[in-house]
C-alpha cells in the first residue's frame, strides 16, 4: 500500500473532517481512507457513459426480441 500526504487542507475543512471522524468513531486517517476508497469505487459520469455506450452497442434482431417476449410470457 502506498502512503498519501495531502498538504494545504483549509483549517475549516480539516476541523469538519476531524469532527466527522470522531463522530464515526474513527481516526482522521481511517475516515479519510474510507472517503477515498468510496470515491474511487464510484464511476465518474464519463466512465458510466462509456460503459453504457459499450453495453448499448449490443445488436439484437427482431426475432431475438420476440423470442425474449415469448419466453417471458411463457414464464408467467
Amino acid at each position: 500500500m502506498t502512503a498519501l500526504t495531502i498538504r494545504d487542507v483549509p483549517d475549516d475543512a480539516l476541523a469538519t473532517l476531524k469532527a466527522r471522524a470522531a463522530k464515526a468513531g474513527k481516526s482522521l486517517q481511517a475516515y479519510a481512507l474510507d472517503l477515498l476508497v468510496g470515491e474511487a469505487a464510484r464511476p465518474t459520469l464519463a466512465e458510466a457513459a462509456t460503459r453504457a455506450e459499450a453495453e448499448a452497442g449490443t445488436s439484437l434482431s427482431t426475432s431475438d426480441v420476440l423470442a425474449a417476449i415469448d419466453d417471458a410470457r411463457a414464464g408467467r
Side-chain angles (χ1 to χ4, degrees):
M1 199 178 291
T2 303
L4 173 70
T5 301
I6 301 174
R7 292 182 172 81
D8 302 324
V9 177
D11 291 338
D12 57 335
L14 185 58
T16 299
L17 291 171
K18 283 181 178 180
R20 289 178 183 173
K23 188 172 183 176
K26 298 179 181 181
S27 67
L28 179 58
Q29 179 177 337
Y31 186 78
L33 179 60
D34 287 348
L35 290 176
L36 289 170
V37 170
E39 179 63 24
R42 283 188 296 278
T44 64
L45 184 55
E47 291 166 341
T50 299
R51 185 175 2 152
E53 188 175 300
E55 290 173 4
T58 304
S59 59
L60 295 173
S61 68
T62 302
S63 61
D64 291 334
V65 173
L66 293 174
I69 292 170
D70 288 343
D71 290 345
R73 288 180 178 158
R76 285 186 191 173

